[in-house]
Amino acid sequence: MAESGGSAPFIRIENVTKKFGTFAAVDNVSLDIGKGELFALLGGSGCGKTTLLRMLAGFEMPSAGRIFIDGQDMAGIAPYDRPVNMMFQSYALFPHMSVEKNVGYGLKHERNMTAGDRRDRVKQMLDLVKLTELAGRKPHQLSGGQRQRVALARALARQPKLLLLDEPLGALDKKLREHTQFEIMNIQDRTGITFVVVTHDQEEAMTLASRIAVMDRGVIRQVGTPTSIYEYPASKFVAGFIGSINMFEGKVTAATKGEVEADVPELGGKVLLASDAVAEKGAAITVAVRPEKIAISRARPKGGNAFPGTVKDLGYFGKDSLYRVKMASGTVVSVNSVNAIRVREDQRVAQWEDKVWLSFEPSSALLLTQ
Amino acid sequence: MPSWFNTWFNRDGWSKSIIAIPYFWLVFFFLIPFAIVVVMSFAERTATSPPVGFLPDFPYVTFENYGRLVGDWVYIRAYSTSIINAFMATILCLIVGYPMALGITRVNKSWRNILLMLVILPFWTSFLLRVYAWIGLMGSNSWFNKLLTAIVNSVLPADMAFRNIPMMNSNFAVVLVLVYSYLPFMILPLYANLEKLDTTLNEAAMDLGSRPWQVFKDVTLPLSIPGIIAGGLLVFIPASGELVIPSLVGNASDPMIGRVINDEFLTARHWPMASAVAVALLLLLVVPLMAYNHFEAKAQAGGKP
Ligand SMILES: Nc1ncnc2c1ncn2[C@@H]1O[C@H](COP(=O)(O)OP(=O)(O)OP(=O)(O)O)[C@@H](O)[C@H]1O
Ligand SMILES: [Mg+2]
């Protein structure tokens, strides 16, 4: 992906593989990350996110491949010599040191700082994470969220060129999590430090990151901006991993430049897709449509891509409603519609067991081949 | 059984009975005997059996035994010999045992169990046998002594060379055998402590710029202080009252306090004096311990704003 800017990338991961025994936790991964990016590694449990991060920090050596940070080959460079700081999944605060000592720990290795400089920096960091009042406490006297902020301040204190965050918000409640997400984005904005954030929460990745890499079993499946990952997933795996999506098997019946017509028995008819993908007539494809891109109506809408079905389930969530509609083929389609106008229950678009029509724009449907 | 008993027993009688066992043990086998010893230390030696009696008039007790304790050079010297020997042994056990305990935590699981087995393996042969083995090793004609002599002579000028090194019947021998005998008591609590430490703390320190030695100094060492203290007490306390090792390999004219108690009790049949020596030894060991606990508790409570 060329979105990281024209000049040489800040981090270059070249064909990196990490094997534990014969098992490849990270399998031939190549990735470029630009300076000042907030980059997210997203993937399910055990897909190798932490392992990749630990290789950047220097705690694991790649079995094959090379890693460059700021143009420098990291092979054989110990963690304490890398311009990198890491915030650990478990925070790893020193239990015998006060908050202040924890935050200042990395600074004692900064030769060109005076004692006064160090004190100022610690104070500045504590201000940043709003922990000035708790400077004298030990980690066991803090709440989970406070500990997490100490860990963040400690990792930031040395002003590294690269900051690695391993599931930084995993232990926080929803509200504190959202608050801290904004804090992290703020800090990133002000300091210009390059961030690599590991998460298994796709919403978190979408909110935080300027770019996301989706990982699966040690392999990177797609890299892109949140929008491109969500709207233009390259594979069924990525489409299914990010948000929810309806997927139907089909066969191409006609293909012109920019437009593909496919027969989709599950929906009970022909589907028109706006797609640049080169599809040959007769090829098996997958048609994917996100629930919020499907319109639901009682009357048959004008135009193509309209299919009849029966409402089997209905969930009301306040700002939107979720319908589960059963098609003639038996396939169930999820539809998400925003409750843009206020109506009483009996005035809803559809009720249980109602016959409805589902429709979507040709440009809203995705054509996936893998 | 009366019904109130059944009710009580089912409610919390079980847990109370179980908790009571160690308390009974402590009372019957420690507190009461210790009280007897304390009382006896204020008595006089008599020609009766047992050879203990109190004064006929008020105040009935005598402080003469304790007076001798602080006035008589023999006792002061025995106490200092004991404390110095035990202290040396504790420090050496720590120096030898710490790297061993740390090493055991850094190998994989199956090796760990083998190494721990090796640490406690010496317990499977008789303690006395092992001390006798050391007597053999330290004797002037043993290979061990010859080896040491050769090493020492290799750094000394030729005209100062030793024929052999007189090791037996010295405090050196006592400390050597104390270290050998008590080393497992240092290693095991240290290992238990070090094994629990979270290794990601080491990684965090390294990530923040510390080299391995500094990581040890800043993280591992301070977090292992409870293990050092536990191991230190387990070595120091029994070593300072040790009787067998100094009797077998030590210098009879510079006895440790265990030997003095033994001699007072059996040879001189001065039970009150033996009791006073024992009580003073206990105070000598317990008071610093209680002071430590006190400050430790204070340090724990501190730090709160
Ligand atoms: N030291 C190790 N030895 C053997 N296997 C390991 C080791 N570390 C990790 N693995 C394996 O490598 C795989 C990837 O692990 P990793 O910790 O990178 O996952 P993750 O993506 O961070 O998962 P999570 O979201 O659960 O933290 C897992 O299957 C794990 O079992
Ligand atoms: Mg992980």
Side-chain angles (χ1 to χ4, degrees), chain A residues 3-216:
Chain A
E3 280 150 285
S4 54
S7 57
F10 182 63
I11 303 173
R12 160 155 266 167
I13 298 171
E14 261 180 24
N15 305 98
V16 164
T17 297
K18 176 69 195 181
K19 286 198 167 150
F20 294 111
T22 55
F23 169 75
V26 170
D27 194 0
N28 197 19
V29 162
S30 294
L31 197 61
D32 286 351
I33 299 175
K35 196 163 184 60
E37 259 197 284
L38 212 169
F39 193 91
L41 282 173
L42 177 62
S45 186
C47 71
K49 307 180 296 287
T50 298
T51 307
L52 189 55
L53 214 59
R54 287 171 61 80
M55 286 194 279
L56 286 174
F59 299 126
E60 307 277 5
M61 292 300 148
S63 316
R66 293 199 295 175
I67 294 176
F68 295 88
I69 296 178
D70 207 8
Q72 197 188 357
D73 191 342
M74 287 289 128
I77 295 191
Y80 41 80
D81 286 328
R82 297 191 180 201
V84 177
N85 281 139
M86 177 154 167
M87 181 180 158
F88 289 78
Q89 201 163 0
S90 56
Y91 308 149
L93 299 179
F94 304 124
H96 56 300
M97 295 184 198
S98 65
V99 166
E100 209 170 12
K101 288 259 170 61
N102 263 286
V103 173
Y105 183 80
L107 299 179
K108 64 180 199 173
H109 303 295
E110 304 280 318
R111 293 265 157 64
N112 44 14
M113 282 179 99
T114 66
D117 290 345
R118 292 189 185 119
R119 229 173 301 124
D120 290 346
R121 179 77 64 79
V122 170
K123 205 178 150 311
Q124 192 188 332
M125 288 299 132
L126 290 176
D127 278 346
L128 187 74
V129 295
K130 304 189 181 64
L131 283 174
T132 313
E133 269 90 82
L134 307 182
R137 287 210 198 169
K138 295 268 176 73
H140 70 94
Q141 297 164 321
L142 300 176
S143 75
Q146 290 164 342
R147 274 179 221 168
Q148 181 258 320
R149 283 183 279 158
V150 176
L152 184 61
R154 186 178 70 177
L156 276 168
R158 297 181 80 198
Q159 302 186 334
K161 291 183 188 168
L162 170 62
L163 196 62
L164 308 171
L165 310 177
D166 196 352
E167 310 255 359
L169 313 178
L172 304 186
D173 66 51
K174 192 167 151 57
K175 203 147 175 208
L176 195 54
R177 176 193 299 246
E178 278 167 9
H179 174 78
T180 317
Q181 279 173 3
F182 278 108
E183 248 172 42
I184 289 178
M185 287 160 81
N186 247 326
I187 291 166
Q188 200 268 343
D189 235 25
R190 261 179 294 163
T191 56
I193 295 173
T194 308
F195 277 59
V196 177
V197 181
V198 158
T199 176
H200 60 252
D201 178 346
Q202 47 120 344
E203 241 175 85
E204 186 169 296
M206 306 273 285
T207 337
L208 274 177
S210 51
R211 282 197 310 148
I212 299 173
V214 181
M215 284 187 77
D216 174 34

Side-chain angles (χ1 to χ4, degrees), chain A residues 203-261:
Chain A
E203 241 175 85
E204 186 169 296
M206 306 273 285
T207 337
L208 274 177
S210 51
R211 282 197 310 148
I212 299 173
V214 181
M215 284 187 77
D216 174 34
R217 279 172 288 170
V219 179
I220 291 195
R221 302 297 293 262
Q222 191 173 352
V223 184
T225 61
T227 316
S228 72
I229 296 257
Y230 186 80
E231 303 291 1
Y232 300 97
S235 60
K236 285 195 268 188
F237 173 82
V238 175
F241 190 78
I242 310 276
S244 48
I245 199 158
N246 298 295
M247 290 196 247
F248 316 105
E249 302 305 320
K251 253 199 178 66
V252 176
T253 51
T256 57
K257 195 168 166 11
E259 236 179 26
V260 174
E261 192 191 55

Side-chain angles (χ1 to χ4, degrees), chain B:
Chain B
M1 292 268 166
S3 70
W4 65 263
F5 179 84
N6 279 332
T7 327
W8 170 82
F9 195 81
N10 288 330
R11 191 158 15 91
D12 51 11
W14 258 114
S15 56
K16 277 192 177 150
S17 317
I18 287 173
I19 293 169
I21 295 171
Y23 279 100
F24 276 122
W25 184 275
L26 210 64
V27 168
F28 279 107
F29 296 107
F30 175 71
L31 275 184
I32 293 178
F34 182 63
I36 294 173
V37 169
V38 171
V39 169
M40 212 186 279
S41 71
F42 293 104
E44 285 191 304
R45 181 167 59 163
T46 59
T48 57
S49 173
V52 178
F54 288 94
L55 302 186
D57 325 299
F58 186 80
Y60 308 110
V61 297
T62 170
F63 294 93
E64 196 205 333
N65 301 322
Y66 288 99
R68 266 177 70 194
L69 214 52
V70 288
D72 196 331
W73 186 239
V74 172
Y75 299 109
I76 295 173
R77 181 167 167 185
Y79 277 121
S80 16
T81 306
S82 299
I83 301 284
I84 291 169
N85 283 352
F87 184 75
M88 297 285 285
T90 308
I91 296 295
L92 289 172
C93 276
L94 183 64
I95 291 172
V96 177
Y98 200 106
M100 288 172 78
L102 194 59
I104 296 173
T105 65
R106 296 290 155 88
V107 297
N108 69 35
K109 202 99 205 156
S110 49
W111 266 107
R112 244 183 239 194
N113 291 335
I114 293 171
L115 292 176
L116 282 175
M117 269 290 290
L118 290 177
V119 168
I120 52 176
L121 201 62
F123 288 139
W124 292 15
T125 47
S126 151
F127 167 68
L128 275 180
L129 217 59
R130 285 181 283 135
V131 178
Y132 282 122
W134 271 107
I135 294 176
L137 280 179
M138 288 187 290
S140 46
N141 287 321
S142 75
W143 64 265
F144 179 69
N145 200 327
K146 284 184 177 141
L147 181 73
L148 272 191
T149 311
I151 292 171
V152 171
N153 283 348
S154 70
V155 295
L156 282 181
D159 54 330
M160 287 171 71
F162 286 100
R163 286 249 317 278
N164 55 57
I165 298 175
M167 279 190 274
M168 271 302 290
N169 303 324
S170 67
N171 281 326
F172 171 83
V174 174
V175 172
L176 181 67
V177 180
L178 278 176
V179 170
Y180 166 77
S181 309
Y182 286 102
L183 190 58
F185 295 105
M186 178 61 86
I187 292 179
L188 293 178
L190 266 178
Y191 168 77
N193 175 280
L194 290 169
E195 196 249 358
K196 277 196 313 242
L197 296 188
D198 182 0
T199 50
T200 55
L201 293 181
N202 297 353
E203 288 182 347
M206 221 184 269
D207 186 67
L208 291 164
S210 291
R211 275 144 212 286
W213 166 247
Q214 204 141 23
V215 173
F216 173 76
K217 204 162 60 88
D218 293 343
V219 179
T220 313
L221 190 59
L223 289 177
S224 63
I225 285 174
I228 294 177
I229 287 171
L233 292 176
L234 279 181
V235 173
F236 184 77
I237 291 177
S240 54
E242 179 63 53
L243 170 67
V244 176
I245 294 171
S247 311
L248 292 177
V249 303
N251 181 355
S253 61
D254 186 11
M256 280 173 66
I257 204 71
R259 179 66 180 276
V260 171
I261 297 175
N262 185 63
D263 288 351
E264 291 289 354
F265 199 80
L266 295 177
T267 317
R269 277 185 69 75
H270 197 328
W271 289 19
M273 191 63 217
S275 303
V277 176
V279 170
L281 179 65
L282 191 89
L283 290 181
L284 217 58
L285 297 179
V286 165
V287 169
L289 201 65
M290 279 164 60
Y292 166 77
N293 265 341
H294 178 74
F295 289 119
E296 178 68 17
K298 248 195 179 154
Q300 284 288 322
K304 274 184 193 144

